[in-house]
Amino acid sequence: MTEETATNSNPFRAFIRHPLLSAAAVFILSLSLCTIFLFYEANRLQSLRQYNALTEMLAIKARLEGMMTSHSMMMSGLHTNVMLEPGMDAEKFEMLAKGMMAHSTHMKGLSWIPTSPDGHLNRQAERVYGHPMRDLGAFESAVSRAVDSRQLVIAGPDQDGDKRCLYMLLPVYYQEALLGIVIGVVDHSAMLSRAGVDSPNLPEQVALRWLADDGSPALVFYGEADAFSISSVQLNIDLPNGRWQAAVDVDDSGWAAAGFRLAMAAALGLMVSVLFALAAYIVASSYARREQAVQSANYRANYDALTGLINRNFFSNQLQQAINSHNRLQRKFSLMFIDLDFFKQVNDTWGHRAGDELLQELASRLMGFVRKSDVVARLAGDEFVVLMQNSESATQVDLLANRILAYLNQPYDIAGQKLSISCSIGIAMFPDDGQTAEAILSHSDTAMYAAKKAGRNRVTLFNDDMRDEAQHQLLMHNEILNGLEQGEFDVYYQPIMHMNNGHIEKCEALIRWRHPENGFIPPNEFIGVAENTGAIRSIGRWVLERVCQDFKRWTNAGFDLSVSINRSVSEFYPSGSHREWEELVSSYGIDPSNIIFEITESLFMDGNESPVDELKQMRSNGFRFAIDDFGTGYSAINYLRNYPVDFIKIDRSFVMDILDNAQDRTLVEVIIKMGKALGIGVIAEGVENIEQLQALKVFDCDCIQGYYLAKPMPVEEFIYFCDAYRPGEIGPTVPHVESYLEQQ
């Protein structure tokens, strides 16, 4: 499962990984919501305008109908008076009309037109007060309708000079005889203005038109005909014997303020959408970066960057899950531990890039060979494991492992070159060879090392002898940890003398274990076990702190000495362990240059750069390093040049035969000259007699260490030794522990 696959399994995460897409989606969504809001807001404003217009129009309708009713009542009063006294003189008519018009601001004139003796209406009024009516011939149709209907009829408006007038015609009958017609002239403009047709609360001026008897529209006599549109608010105004229709258009074009408001809202919506999109882009970018960082961190924590296989951390979880499931189902599985033979030589000969390509190709072959249900992991360097699910038969697993071995041993095409390399495979079966993740992994590792010891390029199954050895190591591991707690361990110091001046400038710290039941246990019997089980890290921490305490003791006694402390390769794991050492030394106020860590050449041989990086970091902080047992491993000038150290210690096996073995003598001489050439101090271990010392002096060796100078001793004896020692007094004249003890 790759990082990309893990991310794409969640649609939201896959979507938000693209900030531009997220921003576009948010922009479209925001703009859509703003558009919907504007649509409803426009409808709301339209409805509000219609409601306000309708309210105003209802008020206008009520006013107009009220004023027209008042005028109608005035005309009825005049009708009654004329009917009772058709022949009233002009003075009396004027007085009557004047009294009536005093109560109306819109009635401009009243007239009386009697009939002629032949029963026809005269063309001119006989009695007139105020504004006269024009010749009846102009309103022939209205007069006829009034006479025929015997009801009040409104005519006009008619343009009369600069004014617009309405004419109210009411016929006067006595019994069945037409006596004449009374006419009222109404100031049309003043009446409409008072009714509120020009109100500022209306979006446009009101328009008025007549409605025919059948309800169809007729002449528009006030305002513009365009006001009678679909979007307009329209009301019918009931008149005596007729109807008007009033209308006001509430279309958007008539509302500049509302249009500006909607335009501003649209601009604001667009701006908000852009801001939301920008915010979404920023949030999505931040989230995507964080998600990518988390995914990358998870991937780095669980997968090997070089091969794409799961790493040790993730494999531990997979292994525990396999144990749980196989325990529940009472099934077996096998674990193959695969290690390349002489992989370091590949890196040295072909370069690290070729080594990386080889590991990638090997991982690809493993993944292509096993089943989908099986688990393949890279633990470290050139170490791989294969967890074979549901493996019931050890024989079948052995046959399968040999097939894998043959497949992996086929030549590799690396950088255009054919490269052949073999593997060693160790196998452990669950639950026969272990019932915990630690046990099954450790036992497969043990079987793999057994394969290497047997000659490499082979498959080895974990067996009873290995199990016994593993149990022995586990027992000793627990005893080591218990011994550290119970104070069974001690640190002895062996002095190191400088050959030029004979001074004791250094010493080596050596751990000693006095078991309460088994007595003295040599380091070679428990150090290897501690390295295999991980107890070496507890030992290393304990030794370093004890040395720091003893360092203060001989410093207080007046001795300026550097101290060498052995460090196993496994103590450099996990990465960053060196910081704990630095903090401990610093807490005791010790100059780092007084601490020399002794390492073996294998530190440079495992192909992992992390310990080497830590070594360089510590050297930059003042600590010094020495290569212990130089010459017994994979010694090469290349390592000394690329990974500089301060000292190399010639192994005692070469010094022991320096007088009798010409090859060893030559090798020692070469090592000393090589150290001189590279500016590295050389310390010869295991010097036991004067002849060896003199030979080393001839080779110009820098320092010596061995029983001829002094054996390792507890700190009290070491301080006494340093106090009693005089340069040149070595051999038989060196003060012995026995004399020190006699003085105590």
Side-chain angles (χ1 to χ4, degrees), residues 258-273:
F260 177 76
R261 178 178 176 181
L262 290 176
M264 290 298 295
L268 180 60
L270 180 62
M271 183 182 301
V272 169
S273 299

Side-chain angles (χ1 to χ4, degrees), residues 419-461:
L419 180 62
S420 296
I421 192 168
S422 63
C423 300
S424 297
I425 301 179
I427 302 174
M429 300 291 295
F430 173 86
D432 300 336
D433 298 331
Q435 299 183 7
T436 65
E438 295 78 7
I440 196 71
L441 184 60
S442 175
H443 293 169
S444 63
D445 185 22
T446 300
M448 184 274 296
Y449 275 106
K452 286 188 175 294
K453 291 180 180 179
R456 296 183 173 85
N457 191 24
R458 65 191 64 222
V459 176
T460 301
L461 276 73

Side-chain angles (χ1 to χ4, degrees), residues 625-656:
F625 286 85
I627 297 181
D628 195 17
D629 302 332
F630 189 81
T632 61
Y634 304 92
S635 303
I637 298 178
N638 181 56
Y639 299 140
L640 297 178
R641 186 178 70 248
N642 294 332
Y643 308 118
V645 292
D646 302 279
F647 304 97
I648 53 178
K649 301 185 74 173
I650 304 175
D651 187 67
R652 67 181 66 251
S653 61
F654 300 112
V655 176
M656 185 186 343

Side-chain angles (χ1 to χ4, degrees), residues 272-529:
V272 169
S273 299
V274 172
L275 291 176
F276 277 171
L278 181 60
Y281 178 82
I282 295 174
V283 171
S285 298
S286 176
Y287 185 89
R289 286 193 298 268
R290 185 177 66 84
E291 187 71 12
Q292 185 176 9
V294 171
Q295 291 293 336
S296 297
N298 290 337
Y299 185 84
R300 289 192 299 270
N302 296 300
Y303 289 86
D304 176 53
L306 178 64
T307 63
L309 300 177
I310 64 174
N311 60 14
R312 179 184 291 271
N313 178 61
F314 197 6
F315 176 73
S316 298
N317 296 332
Q318 296 287 304
L319 180 57
Q320 188 59 54
Q321 291 179 16
I323 291 174
N324 296 338
S325 63
H326 284 73
N327 265 332
R328 186 172 60 255
L329 300 174
Q330 295 185 346
R331 303 292 299 271
K332 297 181 179 181
F333 69 81
S334 62
L335 185 63
M336 298 183 187
F337 201 113
I338 304 172
D339 188 88
L340 292 177
D341 298 330
F342 304 110
F343 177 67
K344 185 61 179 178
Q345 281 73 352
V346 174
N347 281 334
D348 294 339
T349 304
W350 300 90
H352 286 280
R353 179 172 297 181
D356 290 345
E357 291 184 20
L358 175 61
L359 294 176
Q360 290 171 337
E361 178 61 25
L362 185 140
S364 178
R365 290 188 184 185
L366 282 175
M367 289 298 297
F369 193 92
V370 302
R371 299 165 299 181
K372 289 185 178 180
S373 60
D374 298 330
V375 181
V376 180
R378 181 190 180 203
L379 300 187
D382 58 339
E383 295 179 348
F384 295 83
V385 288
V386 179
L387 192 158
M388 307 294 291
Q389 306 276 8
N390 301 321
S391 304
E392 298 298 328
S393 171
T395 302
Q396 292 179 349
V397 173
D398 185 34
L399 293 173
L400 179 61
N402 278 282
R403 289 173 54 199
I404 292 177
L405 182 65
Y407 183 52
L408 297 181
N409 286 351
Q410 293 179 10
Y412 295 83
D413 187 2
I414 305 297
Q417 300 288 335
K418 292 295 182 180
L419 180 62
S420 296
I421 192 168
S422 63
C423 300
S424 297
I425 301 179
I427 302 174
M429 300 291 295
F430 173 86
D432 300 336
D433 298 331
Q435 299 183 7
T436 65
E438 295 78 7
I440 196 71
L441 184 60
S442 175
H443 293 169
S444 63
D445 185 22
T446 300
M448 184 274 296
Y449 275 106
K452 286 188 175 294
K453 291 180 180 179
R456 296 183 173 85
N457 191 24
R458 65 191 64 222
V459 176
T460 301
L461 276 73
F462 188 78
N463 54 41
D464 292 338
D465 292 338
M466 297 178 189
R467 183 179 293 104
D468 293 341
E469 178 63 23
Q471 291 176 351
H472 167 71
Q473 291 192 6
L474 179 60
L475 178 62
M476 181 166 286
H477 169 79
N478 294 331
E479 289 184 343
I480 289 172
L481 298 182
N482 181 69
L484 290 173
E485 293 181 0
Q486 299 301 321
E488 298 173 8
F489 288 87
D490 197 2
V491 176
Y492 281 36
Y493 298 93
Q494 186 174 31
I496 299 174
M497 184 190 76
H498 200 285
M499 294 282 282
N500 287 343
N501 53 29
H503 288 104
I504 304 299
E505 298 180 349
K506 306 176 187 63
C507 63
E508 180 179 0
L510 300 167
I511 190 168
R512 294 293 183 263
W513 184 12
R514 191 169 299 279
H515 195 278
E517 297 178 0
N518 301 327
F520 177 76
I521 301 179
N524 60 350
E525 292 187 12
F526 67 84
I527 291 297
V529 175

Side-chain angles (χ1 to χ4, degrees), residues 564-565 567 572 578 581-582 592-593 595-600 603-604 611-612 614-628 643-649 680-681 683:
S564 295
I565 306 171
R567 273 290 177 264
F572 286 87
H578 69 283
W581 308 341
E582 293 177 344
S593 63
I595 303 296
I596 304 170
F597 287 112
E598 294 191 8
I599 56 177
T600 61
L603 180 71
F604 307 121
V612 178
E614 295 190 9
L615 182 149
K616 293 179 179 179
Q617 180 64 42
M618 294 183 70
R619 290 189 77 246
S620 67
N621 293 336
F623 291 92
R624 294 187 290 174
F625 286 85
I627 297 181
D628 195 17
Y643 308 118
V645 292
D646 302 279
F647 304 97
I648 53 178
K649 301 185 74 173
I680 300 174
I683 302 172

